[in-house]
Amino acid sequence: AAARYKRSEPFKRLKAEKLVEQMKFGCMQDVLLLDLREKSEYEEFHIQGSVNYPACMMSRSMYQYTPEILEYKNKEGKVMILVDVEEKLSVAVGTNWYEKGFDNFAILTGGILAVARAGEDLIEGQFPTVL
């Protein structure tokens, strides 16, 4: 994934168009899409293939990382993409992960909305018309 750094942020960002392109070409085997919203929001609609990982899990001292996250954390050739609606959760979790030594993750610029604009067929569930 061609992710770039934003000057004031310690983590990389990935444009929705790039993610959509990767998904359409089936190049997702080493990518873990983490949807940081609450379970109920995730169940309403989400990006195909994403895994729900509510941001509130980060505040737990034990078991805050799922087996998938531990399998991907700082592994060569693997990347985790943090996703939410407006990047607020992604930026908070991204900052936290950076401080904890994670180095192979990126934030999805524009979040789910940007993916919906670039590839509506990649959204599962009932996507709201107004957000």
Side-chain angles (χ1 to χ4, degrees), residues 51-87:
V51 175
N52 187 219
Y53 178 70
C56 63
M57 297 282 288
M58 294 302 297
S59 59
R60 303 201 174 132
S61 55
M62 288 180 66
Y63 312 118
Q64 58 179 231
Y65 306 122
T66 64
E68 294 105 326
I69 291 171
L70 293 174
E71 190 184 310
Y72 273 72
K73 183 185 177 191
N74 299 345
K75 295 287 190 306
E76 187 74 37
K78 294 190 180 284
V79 67
M80 295 177 281
I81 311 292
L82 304 180
V83 178
D84 68 301
V85 174
E86 294 173 328
E87 295 181 31

Side-chain angles (χ1 to χ4, degrees), residues 16-115:
E17 296 77 25
K18 282 269 180 225
L19 177 65
V20 167
E21 198 176 286
Q22 248 182 287
M23 290 176 78
K24 288 191 174 178
F25 286 112
C27 305
M28 297 295 290
Q29 59 273 19
D30 293 320
V31 178
L32 180 60
L33 277 177
L34 293 169
D35 190 315
L36 303 173
R37 300 171 302 146
E38 292 301 315
K39 191 176 191 325
S40 59
E41 295 172 283
Y42 173 83
E43 286 172 349
E44 280 177 37
F45 66 93
H46 56 271
I47 300 170
Q48 276 178 18
S50 64
V51 175
N52 187 219
Y53 178 70
C56 63
M57 297 282 288
M58 294 302 297
S59 59
R60 303 201 174 132
S61 55
M62 288 180 66
Y63 312 118
Q64 58 179 231
Y65 306 122
T66 64
E68 294 105 326
I69 291 171
L70 293 174
E71 190 184 310
Y72 273 72
K73 183 185 177 191
N74 299 345
K75 295 287 190 306
E76 187 74 37
K78 294 190 180 284
V79 67
M80 295 177 281
I81 311 292
L82 304 180
V83 178
D84 68 301
V85 174
E86 294 173 328
E87 295 181 31
K88 242 181 280 177
L89 296 172
S90 302
V91 169
V93 171
T95 302
N96 179 298
W97 278 15
Y98 172 77
E99 290 167 358
K100 290 188 176 189
F102 279 69
D103 63 16
N104 64 328
F105 69 92
I107 285 175
L108 181 65
T109 300
I112 295 169
L113 299 180
V115 170

